[in-house]
Amino acid sequence: MIHKEAQKRIGILTEHINQHAFQYYLLDNPTISDAEYDRLMNELIDLEQRYPQLKRADSPTQRVGGGLLDHFEPINHPTPMLSLQNAFTKQDLIEFDERIHRMTGFTGDLEYMAEPKLDGVALELIYNEDVLEAAATRGDGLVGENITANARTIRSVPLKLNLEKFTYLPKTFAVRGEVIIRKKDFEVLNQKQIQTGEKPFANPRNAAAGSLRQLDSRITAQRPLFAFVYAVCAEIEGITTQKQLLNLLAELGFQTNPHAKLCVGVEELWDAYTRLQQIRFDLPYELDGMVVKVNHLDVQKNLGEISRSPRWAIAVKFPAHQETTVIRDILIQVGRTGAVTPVAVLDPVRIGGVEVSRATLHNQDEIDRKDIRVADTVFVQRAGDVIPEIVSVVVAKRPANSKPFRLPDSCPICHGAIHRIPGEAAHRCTNINCPAQIKGRIRHFASRAAMDIDGLGEKLISQLVDKKLVTGMADLYKLDRYTLINLERMAEKSADNLFEALHRSKSPSLERFIFSLGIRHVGEQVAKLLVETFPSLDELVQSEQDQLEKIPGIGPQVAASIQSFFRDKKNLDELKRLGDIGVFASMTSHPKPLSSARPLDGKKVVITGTLNRMDRSQAKRIIQKLGGITVSSISKNTDILVVGDNPGSKLDKAHKLSINILTESDFLSLWENNK
Ligand code: IVH
């Protein structure tokens, strides 16, 4: 290949792979298969080896990590990386605001940005021209460690900035932010650590810190790191506020946090803090407070700093989300797949404003790892998930007669055998007629995102199963009014409503029906993928493992689970029984949307202007995934307008009709938080 051709091909490959990586890692929407991706990547690696001088600054080959270091070089920060003073109460915040008024002489309410305080590791990124040149940890605030190779592996760190519109940026400048690991990714990472015999990390922050400080960047590349940025160490023409700065960063290609909010005065700040506290456990990553920053950059500059902290910012910390309490008992729950989950019954304790009296212990391995026993005093937290967890045992307070806890050999509900399937962490009750499993399956079948049978709640399901009135899904539709009215707490009106709901649920969409069946590993997303390939239930039932595995997003484990479900005579009999009584009798796909709460459910969305970080078809796909419907023209029925550059008349019309407006970065953030 001649030099010129190589240059052209390297350009095409670089752009193609980068575009795909953006789709895959940031939009969760792959456009090519993994095999195709690997092929393109290998071709690029090969060409770059042959023509090293042609390697581009934004080459995706840097994302996979490279050589091994024996230590990190020191690197001077262009300006010190400061820390923040802490506040804990509204009074602390009032005093901070008063101090700023006093020092600046301003009267009236001041503008502040309220930003989530991300519980991660500080990162500095230095760009020269538009290329990521170096990256550093905080270190002692003046000198950090050079972790450039590691930072390059983080997909949300742009290797090259999107500078098209910003000719007035300084040649070199530093951007600062926080590297985090999302709660879900943390769980998966820790499982992997355990499986490979490594020590699990204590929390996502430790995992992020450890991953960022790997001497072998190939290891960092395999860690699910994510970077949000919030500061620039340079004055930028035309940027006068922190809010504008965050918008600029997003347009340059960085990820900024969607929950940053402009507030005027202390009351609005306190409202924002209360709101963050409410949503923190629902967010995909951990926060430890809210950072308040004076919005105007010239005011920040005048206020300056004192003892390594800026006077213009403060961290309002959340109250501790760990408490100690005592385990009174360990109960065993049996789920719809037979999975046995040990649950600790606790002396009730308030954590972050919520009373906690139970905590999941996950499985026997987790109990062994933490050596959790009945009567232990333990630290409990509400962190990684809404479900509280035991962090550790206070061994010094353990009673002398305590014994290690072991899961029972037989199911406490049906007395069937409990086994651990090799390769799985969970123990399972092996009796598929176990009432606990039946209840779980019916609960799932009736749930909102499944058949949506209103009025068929947990207590009623329990009664129906315990009285042996229901042993499978089809039995629900055979219940008669007399039987129902004679159940405890069942008024005539409720029975009528339940009948009505059962009747309404009889013709679900195919994807909803597949999801309802409770096939292991088949959630709403997989059900949707299946329907795209198999438009009828018959075709799905007949499908072969290799056909299933060919579907992007479906791996061998999921395919095997689907196969074994439809090869099982009991399941096929149940499908037949359902069909016979008119549930999903047609066995064809009915295009009816799933009704799990998605942020744009049923909303009509119009896109206008030029989008910089995605094309129209990607934007439409995202809208669809968020539950919305893309429409082309604006009317009073439009719910949302997504605005790119040069929006034209649609924006004016949207303003007149008071339609909600999302910028491109708002829109991406919405996706980021809901994908
Ligand atoms: S501003 C001088 N904004 O909190 C300004 N920091 O305790 C300092 N942090 O070292 C940074 N989220 O690592 C800022 N939205 C945010 C933040 C944030 C988390 C971390 C950061 C900093 C530490 C200060």
Side-chain angles (χ1 to χ4, degrees):
M1 191 183 270
I2 56 167
H3 187 277
K4 227 185 163 126
E5 273 174 28
Q7 186 171 24
K8 195 168 160 213
R9 184 70 188 148
I10 286 178
I12 291 171
L13 287 168
T14 301
E15 275 165 31
H16 195 58
I17 298 171
N18 280 346
Q19 170 65 12
H20 172 68
F22 175 77
Q23 290 278 340
Y24 185 87
Y25 290 99
L26 296 171
L27 301 183
D28 199 13
N29 184 20
T31 46
I32 54 174
S33 69
D34 290 356
E36 172 76 352
Y37 181 83
D38 291 344
R39 201 180 57 70
L40 296 175
M41 198 68 160
N42 288 336
E43 187 186 345
L44 182 60
I45 291 169
D46 179 54
L47 278 174
E48 285 180 350
Q49 268 166 4
R50 281 195 279 150
Y51 303 93
Q53 73 282 16
L54 296 180
K55 181 169 170 165
R56 287 189 17 172
D58 56 344
S59 170
T61 57
Q62 302 171 82
R63 301 284 199 203
V64 293
L68 186 70
L69 303 175
D70 58 9
H71 70 286
F72 294 116
E73 293 293 334
I75 186 165
N76 290 325
H77 296 303
T79 59
M81 284 181 86
L82 304 175
S83 51
L84 293 170
Q85 299 281 356
N86 286 334
F88 296 94
T89 61
K90 188 169 179 186
Q91 186 55 31
D92 293 342
L93 199 55
I94 292 172
E95 285 168 18
F96 165 76
D97 178 62
E98 283 173 353
R99 207 160 47 238
I100 293 178
H101 275 99
R102 244 190 343 268
M103 292 189 70
T104 56
F106 284 128
T107 50
D109 284 342
L110 278 164
E111 271 185 20
Y112 294 103
M113 277 307 277
E115 297 175 16
K117 187 169 186 305
L118 302 154
D119 197 5
V121 192
L123 173 70
E124 176 169 77
L125 300 163
I126 297 169
Y127 287 84
N128 190 11
E129 304 287 356
D130 51 351
V131 173
L132 176 64
E133 190 177 68
T137 60
R138 180 174 185 277
D140 65 3
L142 299 173
V143 181
E145 289 168 316
N146 186 335
I147 48 146
T148 312
N150 292 349
R152 285 197 177 119
T153 68
I154 306 174
R155 312 272 163 178
S156 41
V157 167
L159 299 173
K160 198 164 178 285
L161 299 178
N162 175 16
L163 274 187
E164 281 154 31
K165 294 186 283 170
F166 308 103
T167 46
Y168 47 84
L169 281 181
K171 183 168 173 281
T172 304
F173 61 95
V175 172
R176 288 176 182 169
E178 202 80 356
V179 175
I180 55 156
I181 291 188
R182 293 190 188 93
K183 296 171 191 173
K184 263 198 203 145
D185 293 335
F186 171 72
E187 296 299 328
V188 176
L189 174 62
N190 255 1
Q191 286 301 328
K192 264 196 216 152
Q193 290 287 107
I194 295 166
Q195 274 162 17
T196 52
E198 309 273 337
K199 208 169 154 246
F201 297 100
N203 53 47
R205 176 167 36 79
N206 283 359
S211 303
L212 206 54
R213 294 190 69 263
Q214 289 289 332
L215 289 165
D216 184 347
S217 54
R218 283 165 299 193
I219 298 180
T220 312
Q222 283 158 24
R223 300 283 170 81
L225 297 173
F226 188 91
F228 278 119
V229 300
Y230 43 69
V232 173
C233 304
E235 286 187 22
I236 298 170
E237 213 182 297
I239 302 291
T240 59
T241 64
Q242 170 70 5
K243 188 172 166 69
Q244 288 172 352
L245 192 71
L246 292 176
N247 289 341
L248 170 82
L249 285 166
E251 296 197 351
L252 288 172
F254 292 98
Q255 300 295 317
T256 54
N257 193 281
H259 299 283
K261 191 171 182 306
L262 181 70
C263 295
V264 183
V266 174
E267 287 307 320
E268 282 191 22
L269 281 175
W270 194 251
D271 286 349
Y273 174 72
T274 316
R275 166 104 189 103
L276 272 186
Q277 250 187 310
Q278 281 162 355
I279 62 167
R280 69 184 281 214
F281 294 111
D282 297 329
L283 291 179
Y285 39 79
E286 292 197 347
L287 309 184
D288 59 345
M290 179 176 92
V291 182
V292 175
K293 300 175 184 173
V294 168
N295 191 34
H296 283 272
L297 302 177
D298 55 344
V299 182
Q300 287 187 1
K301 199 169 163 193
N302 286 338
L303 283 164
E305 64 202 53
I306 182 167
S307 61
R308 295 283 192 95
S309 303
R311 288 200 188 85
W312 45 266
I314 197 161
V316 197
K317 301 294 282 274
F318 290 139
H321 55 267
Q322 275 192 9
E323 293 295 342
T324 52
T325 187
V326 176
I327 299 186
R328 289 295 163 211
D329 195 4
I330 297 180
L331 300 180
I332 308 297
Q333 275 179 1
V334 181
R336 67 183 158 90
T337 60
V340 168
T341 311
V343 176
V345 180
L346 308 169
D347 273 352
V349 57
R350 282 187 86 72
I351 308 177
V354 177
E355 188 172 278
V356 171
S357 55
R358 298 206 166 190
T360 174
L361 301 176
H362 300 289
N363 52 49
Q364 183 72 53
D365 285 351
E366 185 81 356
I367 293 178
D368 293 346
R369 191 164 66 78
K370 295 178 181 163
D371 189 15
I372 295 168
R373 307 178 184 191
V374 174
D376 270 349
T377 300
V378 288
F379 278 97
V380 184
Q381 74 175 9
R382 281 184 75 218
D385 218 325
V386 198
I387 305 165
E389 275 194 327
I390 308 282
V391 184
S392 57
V393 175
V394 185
V395 181
K397 292 196 177 170
R398 174 170 281 167
N401 60 353
S402 110
K403 284 197 195 70
F405 178 84
R406 297 231 38 93
L407 283 172
D409 296 330
S410 61
C411 173
I413 315 287
C414 70
H415 311 293
I418 285 184
H419 284 310
R420 181 173 180 166
I421 297 167
E424 286 192 6
H427 283 67
R428 287 181 196 280
C429 163
T430 48
N431 167 20
I432 71 147
N433 295 320
C434 170
Q437 289 190 43
I438 299 176
K439 286 176 194 174
R441 289 198 291 269
I442 303 281
R443 250 195 324 267
H444 174 77
F445 184 77
S447 65
R448 251 193 85 199
M451 301 293 272
D452 193 16
I453 308 173
D454 214 13
L456 191 58
E458 174 123 28
K459 293 215 171 86
L460 182 54
I461 294 174
S462 258
Q463 278 195 69
L464 292 170
V465 176
D466 290 343
K467 293 193 158 69
K468 302 210 167 36
L469 295 167
V470 168
T471 57
M473 299 147 190
D475 294 340
L476 291 170
Y477 297 90
K478 292 183 186 150
L479 291 166
D480 60 69
R481 195 165 179 274
Y482 176 79
T483 316
L484 278 180
I485 295 172
N486 280 308
L487 292 172
E488 276 165 45
R489 281 187 298 250
M490 179 57 90
E492 288 195 21
K493 180 98 184 88
S494 322
D496 290 342
N497 288 345
L498 180 57
F499 266 121
E500 173 64 28
L502 280 164
H503 181 70
R504 259 186 285 125
S505 74
K506 277 185 169 177
S507 6
S509 66
L510 179 57
E511 65 188 68
R512 202 183 257 270
F513 185 65
I514 293 170
F515 172 64
S516 309
L517 296 175
I519 307 169
R520 278 186 74 200
H521 308 302
V522 178
E524 286 173 79
Q525 209 48 44
V526 172
K528 202 180 182 112
L529 292 175
L530 290 173
V531 173
E532 281 165 14
T533 308
F534 304 105
S536 77
L537 186 61
D538 292 338
E539 283 163 278
L540 177 62
V541 172
Q542 308 295 334
S543 66
E544 296 295 336
Q545 172 99 8
D546 59 336
Q547 277 176 295
L548 289 164
E549 276 185 44
K550 274 198 198 118
I551 304 176
I554 295 193
Q557 194 190 22
V558 182
S561 165
I562 297 168
Q563 281 281 291
S564 86
F565 185 90
F566 290 117
R567 295 286 172 274
D568 187 330
K569 182 160 179 317
K570 286 186 292 300
N571 294 329
L572 294 176
D573 288 347
E574 184 71 29
L575 282 178
K576 171 138 193 346
R577 274 196 294 276
L578 282 165
D580 288 347
I581 46 175
V583 179
F584 206 77
S586 66
M587 288 219 176
T588 51
S589 168
H590 301 272
K592 194 170 145 195
L594 291 174
S595 80
S596 70
R598 286 172 294 178
L600 299 183
D601 263 342
K603 298 256 188 307
K604 297 202 178 59
V605 185
V606 175
I607 310 170
T608 185
T610 315
L611 300 175
N612 291 304
R613 290 151 73 196
M614 66 192 99
D615 61 31
R616 281 283 169 110
S617 59
Q618 289 162 352
K620 284 182 186 169
R621 269 203 299 277
I622 293 179
I623 291 171
Q624 192 194 9
K625 290 200 167 190
L626 292 173
I629 303 148
T630 310
V631 287
S632 52
S633 60
I634 286 225
S635 72
K636 64 178 187 336
N637 295 329
T638 310
D639 297 295
I640 289 166
L641 179 69
V642 176
V643 186
D645 290 343
N646 308 319
S649 65
K650 282 189 179 152
L651 181 59
D652 298 336
K653 201 163 170 193
H655 278 306
K656 274 192 206 119
L657 294 169
S658 302
I659 287 166
N660 284 328
I661 292 168
L662 291 182
T663 61
E664 185 176 358
S665 66
D666 294 338
F667 178 61
L668 266 181
S669 304
L670 184 72
W671 171 234
E672 179 57 37
N673 284 291
N674 289 283
K675 65 188 187 188

